[in-house]
Amino acid sequence: MFPLGTALVPGAELPLRVFEPRYRQMLTDHLDDSDEPPRVRFGVVLISRGFEVGGGEVRCDVGTIADAEITGRLPDGRAALRCTGRQRFRVVEWLADDPYPRARVEALPERAPSPEHLARLDALDGRLHSLMRRRLEAAGEDPGPVIAALSVIDADPATADISPIHRWAARVVSQPHDQQRILESDDPAAQLDVLDDVMAGMEARAAFGSI
């Protein structure tokens, strides 16, 4: 397990640098070097109180399995990782942090969004594109390439098996509190409620010139 100051939504990418001895040991114990580049899987949970370095933090119990690619590793075990969130889980039992954080977990099932849910998501996406167009045009920039890039991200086959609601959240939701709310919501309607709150906040900040 890797407790962090941010949550990892399925479909989101997260760069990590491993330098603490306990996590260097975790990589050594679980590294799969049968492929190139080497990979490792571990759970990511948000720290609700405390700090990433040193231990003793209070952790959330709902997190995400990260599929991590090792992009660089030094002889002393320090490493650079590029992680992608895959599957939500709930911690059943925290084990002793010996030699690194460990837990027993259960996978959380994902309910497929209905046509009504997808219609709500499409409306949110329309609001996002409109906001981005206004912001970029106000700055004298062409919004076309940015909007096109978002379409390419949406079509990434590497995340095709992940809920479209999570994929959308992965590129829009940046605050750990909101990311955790998404992770802890099992119902697509509840997930969309969180995204609607996030979108309304972005629109409000844009109206007052702070975004």
Side-chain angles (χ1 to χ4, degrees):
M1 300 290 286
F2 213 131
L4 292 171
T6 187
L8 180 63
V9 176
E13 290 196 352
L14 177 69
L16 282 180
R17 294 199 174 274
V18 173
F19 58 90
E20 282 192 81
R22 55 180 176 163
Y23 295 122
R24 286 188 253 172
Q25 183 65 49
M26 183 179 75
L27 289 188
T28 298
D29 290 350
H30 300 284
L31 185 67
D32 178 3
D33 58 3
S34 62
D35 203 357
E36 183 60 38
R39 311 187 76 87
V40 63
R41 289 169 64 88
F42 49 82
V44 172
V45 291
L46 175 67
I47 295 171
S48 60
R49 188 168 67 253
F51 303 96
E52 291 183 357
V53 179
E57 69 281 344
V58 178
R59 307 157 185 165
C60 294
D61 285 335
V62 175
T64 304
I65 294 295
D67 181 10
E69 177 183 295
I70 313 298
T71 57
R73 198 176 190 201
L74 297 175
D76 66 3
R78 286 178 294 166
L81 283 63
R82 183 171 61 205
C83 310
T84 302
R86 302 304 307 180
Q87 168 73 50
R88 294 185 311 129
F89 64 81
R90 185 182 305 279
V91 173
V92 175
E93 179 187 9
W94 284 104
L95 306 175
D97 285 14
D98 183 18
Y100 38 76
R102 300 174 304 136
R104 293 190 178 93
V105 305
E106 61 179 5
L108 292 176
E110 300 295 351
R111 290 178 53 187
S114 68
E116 291 77 11
H117 296 140
L118 294 177
R120 284 185 64 187
L121 184 63
D122 186 61
L124 284 168
D125 200 47
R127 289 164 62 186
L128 176 65
H129 288 188
S130 177
L131 180 63
M132 295 179 67
R133 286 191 183 93
R134 292 198 306 271
R135 180 188 179 190
L136 292 169
E137 288 170 354
E141 301 178 29
D142 179 9
V146 177
I147 302 300
L150 293 178
S151 298
V152 171
I153 293 171
D154 289 340
D156 184 356
T159 58
D161 59 333
I162 293 172
S163 163
I165 296 176
H166 282 144
R167 292 204 308 270
W168 196 88
R171 60 180 170 84
V172 175
V173 183
S174 60
Q175 296 302 312
H177 171 71
D178 291 323
Q179 293 168 336
Q180 190 64 28
R181 290 173 64 198
I182 289 288
L183 291 181
E184 294 181 0
S185 299
D186 293 321
D187 178 17
Q191 295 167 356
L192 288 163
D193 288 342
V194 176
L195 296 181
D196 189 70
D197 287 346
V198 170
M199 194 68 237
M202 293 172 63
E203 291 166 335
R205 291 191 296 272
F208 286 96
S210 61
I211 185 172

